[in-house]
Amino acid sequence: MIHIFIGPIAEIIKVAPVMQELDRRNIPYNFIDSGQHAALMPDLCQQFGVRQPDVLLRPQEDNIDTLAQAVKWSLKNLFDIVFRPQKIYSEIFHDQPGVCLIHSDTLTTLFALFYAKRCGLTVAHVESGLRSFNMFDPFPEEIVRLFAMRFGDILFAPTDFAIENLKKLGREDKIMPIGANTVLDTVRYAREKVESSLKPNEPYIVVTIHRVETIYFQEKMLQIIELLERIAQNHKVLFVQHEPTKNQLMRFQLQSRLEKHENIELLPLQPYLSFVNLMTGADFIITDGGGMQEESYHLNIPCLVMRDNTERVEGMGKNVQLAQFDPQQIDYFLENFQSLRREDISEGLNPAKVIVDTIAPWAGEKPVTHIDFYNQHYQTHAPHEITQMMQVERRDVISQLLPTETAINGPTLIVGCGRGEETETVGTGSSVMGTDISGEALYQAKQLYPTHHYFVSDGHTLPFADNSYGAIICSEVIEHVEAPEKLLNEFHRVLQKNGNLILTTPNWLSLFGLARRVGEFILKRPIHAANQPLDNWSTQESLTALLNPNFNIVEWRGIWFFPPIGLGHRTLPMSLMIPLHKALMPLERTLQPVLPGYAELLAVSCQVRNK
């Protein structure tokens, strides 16, 4: 089962696209609400078209707005985690093992991590790898992040910055790059569904301040109020107030000062779609929230971040200015905000889809994909005994071509991993990521080889950072893709300098290739192995030309030299086929390095160049 454990409004805003994608594929999940923002959850769920929570940890209908409420709520969670694990497993996780999706760096994140680990679930952390490198700024978020990164099993990293931070923590084998934060999917959805609420007819800005390290310090709040009064001379100021912010302003006797200003309008929290609509019309945004920083980045709106540090790189140096409560930084922003825009705003990434592709194998039902042919193949096709013998030989050759574990600088990516058997070619101490076009294949792979990570991909666009893998294995795949050049370009991009590529593909200049050509001549039509949609074989010469732009060829091997005498169901009986194959194996292994260009399968070891 997939369990989604969230609480604050920022988490539902960013996790809603994942829930939408799960609903779109009819994949079941258990939606757990910690109750941190219980009063706001129903409306947000309605706006995003997702169902209400299945489990409510806090049945009260109000938000946690005061420090006393937060302490009481935290102590109750800690008590349950320590003393009531069986109750947690039964009442929260419904006695169903699986994966628990947690998000970001809030107290809900920390308690969800503890709940899931206490019950033996796999933990997938969304927005992993963000760091401020200051334990107390922000507090306690930086500490929560470190816990989630240290104990998470799947770490969904949104940026190269996040990936590098996780690597420094020694978590390379847990990283799953997703290309961007899920707020990209959120903003895309909001812009499509945006409500046509009224906007001011005059220039205006949008402000929201809510972080603990800001609102509990009078000096910082006074500086922000004086800044808003200054801006209000030329702009309408729409100050959207969280309840804790309002409480602290009243405590510092600053709320009445704002209320008296005719050009500052104080607003309660807005429905999310209305809020996005307000942001799209603003001249700029002032916030101390990381979520709004990311939203401003994707909306391409200038943003002044009222913090000393930020763990997010989105927009920095483009449309985002970090204030650091420094008057010079603030003045620079106010004088230059009109020029603070992104140049490239095209974004075709879909982080929520990558997340669902990855966690789908944990669902109670098998994952649904559009690749019907390959799903049906893996549902119905049981490997023949002769086929199994041939595949063992193929994997042995790949293992021989693959450098030793100590020589590979980084994890290994297996493209077209099928049911996971390809992982046997890699040493047990290596970190392995498997991809395949078939969700059905990966569902089986997760059952057979649960220690590795898998996600659905056709290989043409890999959601990994540049230089993130030490080796790639791609066996009997390239002949089935529409654009092999694009596939190899992606391999070159994600491989590290001097990284290794092991590739195998069927060979026209073999007895099998000759038999296929004869068959096609007689039948007057193409013949594809197992009726696959694409089946474009190569020769040693054509494969060399394909690899040449980006790879140096290190070594060739041939696999399967014996004649195409069938698998026994049309020619010889199995009682003769198996001994015959075994008898031919010594000759097979002698010919592999000597005549690679005439075997059924070409196997080549390459090394990255031009990096």
Side-chain angles (χ1 to χ4, degrees), residues 518-582:
V518 171
E520 290 180 339
F521 177 79
I522 294 172
L523 297 173
K524 307 297 184 185
R525 63 174 177 82
I527 298 174
H528 291 179
N531 296 317
Q532 297 191 71
L534 289 171
D535 196 26
N536 300 317
W537 292 15
S538 298
T539 64
Q540 197 169 5
E541 183 179 2
S542 67
L543 191 57
T544 299
L546 198 60
L547 291 165
N548 254 340
N550 293 319
F551 296 93
N552 291 317
I553 293 173
V554 177
E555 183 179 358
W556 289 96
R557 291 283 186 93
I559 309 174
W560 308 335
F561 288 87
F562 39 79
I565 52 180
L567 295 179
H569 56 291
R570 291 182 181 173
T571 53
L572 299 177
M574 289 296 294
S575 58
L576 293 177
M577 286 287 289
I578 292 176
L580 180 60
H581 272 263
K582 289 181 178 179

Side-chain angles (χ1 to χ4, degrees), residues 283-456:
D283 280 3
F284 60 88
I285 293 167
I286 295 179
T287 184
D288 63 349
M292 278 192 68
Q293 176 187 333
E294 291 172 331
E295 287 160 345
S296 74
Y297 171 74
H298 295 299
L299 292 170
N300 199 20
I301 299 169
C303 179
L304 180 64
V305 179
M306 297 301 295
R307 294 171 62 177
D308 293 316
N309 300 292
T310 178
E311 67 280 4
R312 300 169 198 273
V313 297
E314 288 86 351
M316 297 300 296
K318 297 177 182 177
N319 69 300
V320 175
Q321 175 79 22
L322 186 63
Q324 297 180 308
F325 292 92
D326 180 349
Q328 289 185 340
Q329 299 284 356
I330 294 170
D331 288 345
Y332 175 84
F333 176 85
L334 295 179
E335 292 168 5
N336 297 279
F337 72 86
Q338 291 179 335
S339 64
L340 297 179
R341 301 278 181 176
R342 295 173 55 199
E343 293 181 3
D344 180 13
I345 59 172
S346 60
E347 292 170 322
L349 298 168
N350 191 334
K353 181 180 181 299
V354 178
I355 291 171
V356 173
D357 288 342
T358 305
I359 64 175
W362 277 271
E365 297 176 8
K366 297 174 183 178
V368 179
T369 73
H370 64 283
I371 313 299
D372 295 332
F373 171 83
Y374 290 101
N375 283 344
Q376 184 178 6
H377 171 79
Y378 283 107
Q379 286 171 348
T380 60
H381 177 72
H384 197 281
E385 190 172 355
I386 294 295
T387 302
Q388 291 178 341
M389 293 172 60
M390 295 167 66
Q391 297 305 330
V392 167
E393 188 62 26
R394 178 182 61 83
R395 290 195 290 271
D396 283 347
V397 171
I398 292 173
S399 296
Q400 294 165 23
L401 290 174
L402 194 67
T404 61
E405 292 179 44
T406 54
I408 299 176
N409 183 27
T412 297
L413 174 65
I414 302 179
V415 177
C417 68
R419 294 187 179 94
E421 296 95 337
E422 303 302 296
T423 62
E424 295 179 353
T425 61
V426 185
T428 55
S430 300
S431 172
V432 177
M433 178 73 70
T435 78
D436 200 276
I437 199 170
S438 169
E440 175 63 37
L442 297 186
Y443 175 81
Q444 297 182 31
K446 191 61 187 176
Q447 314 308 311
L448 296 170
Y449 304 93
T451 59
H452 302 307
H453 298 301
Y454 308 91
F455 72 96
V456 177

Side-chain angles (χ1 to χ4, degrees), residues 130-386:
L130 304 187
R131 294 291 312 276
S132 70
F133 300 100
N134 186 331
M135 287 292 184
F136 300 101
D137 186 11
F139 179 84
E141 286 91 334
E142 182 73 2
I143 296 172
V144 174
R145 290 186 203 118
L146 289 172
F147 269 99
M149 290 184 277
R150 173 62 183 84
F151 296 105
D153 301 294
I154 305 171
L155 305 177
F156 290 113
T159 63
D160 292 347
F161 171 72
I163 291 169
E164 288 306 311
N165 290 336
L166 291 169
K167 287 181 177 179
K168 290 174 183 177
L169 290 173
R171 306 293 284 162
E172 295 95 335
D173 58 333
K174 306 298 182 184
I175 298 172
M176 170 55 70
I178 57 176
N181 203 301
T182 52
V183 75
L184 169 60
D185 297 308
T186 302
V187 170
R188 185 183 294 130
Y189 172 84
R191 298 190 78 163
E192 292 172 355
K193 302 288 184 180
V194 70
E195 298 176 351
S196 56
S197 56
L198 294 176
K199 301 176 185 176
N201 295 323
E202 56 189 307
Y204 71 93
I205 71 164
V206 174
V207 180
T208 177
I209 302 292
H210 71 279
R211 300 185 74 88
V212 170
E213 68 268 23
T214 308
I215 65 174
Y216 280 86
F217 291 88
Q218 185 172 359
E219 184 180 348
K220 288 184 176 180
M221 292 301 288
L222 180 60
Q223 185 176 351
I224 290 171
I225 299 309
E226 291 174 346
L227 172 62
L228 298 186
E229 289 173 336
R230 174 184 169 191
I231 294 170
Q233 297 174 15
N234 301 306
H235 285 79
K236 180 80 171 179
V237 175
L238 302 182
F239 191 173
V240 180
Q241 292 188 321
H242 293 243
E243 199 62 31
T245 306
K246 182 178 178 181
N247 292 339
Q248 287 302 113
L249 285 169
M250 293 174 67
R251 176 170 166 253
F252 297 144
Q253 298 181 353
L254 295 172
Q255 180 74 356
S256 59
R257 181 168 163 178
L258 291 172
E259 292 171 344
K260 292 175 183 177
H261 201 295
E262 61 180 14
N263 216 25
I264 297 177
E265 184 175 352
L266 305 180
L267 300 174
L269 287 178
Q270 300 292 294
Y272 183 72
L273 298 183
S274 299
F275 187 61
V276 170
N277 186 49
L278 281 178
M279 286 195 291
T280 58
D283 280 3
F284 60 88
I285 293 167
I286 295 179
T287 184
D288 63 349
M292 278 192 68
Q293 176 187 333
E294 291 172 331
E295 287 160 345
S296 74
Y297 171 74
H298 295 299
L299 292 170
N300 199 20
I301 299 169
C303 179
L304 180 64
V305 179
M306 297 301 295
R307 294 171 62 177
D308 293 316
N309 300 292
T310 178
E311 67 280 4
R312 300 169 198 273
V313 297
E314 288 86 351
M316 297 300 296
K318 297 177 182 177
N319 69 300
V320 175
Q321 175 79 22
L322 186 63
Q324 297 180 308
F325 292 92
D326 180 349
Q328 289 185 340
Q329 299 284 356
I330 294 170
D331 288 345
Y332 175 84
F333 176 85
L334 295 179
E335 292 168 5
N336 297 279
F337 72 86
Q338 291 179 335
S339 64
L340 297 179
R341 301 278 181 176
R342 295 173 55 199
E343 293 181 3
D344 180 13
I345 59 172
S346 60
E347 292 170 322
L349 298 168
N350 191 334
K353 181 180 181 299
V354 178
I355 291 171
V356 173
D357 288 342
T358 305
I359 64 175
W362 277 271
E365 297 176 8
K366 297 174 183 178
V368 179
T369 73
H370 64 283
I371 313 299
D372 295 332
F373 171 83
Y374 290 101
N375 283 344
Q376 184 178 6
H377 171 79
Y378 283 107
Q379 286 171 348
T380 60
H381 177 72
H384 197 281
E385 190 172 355
I386 294 295

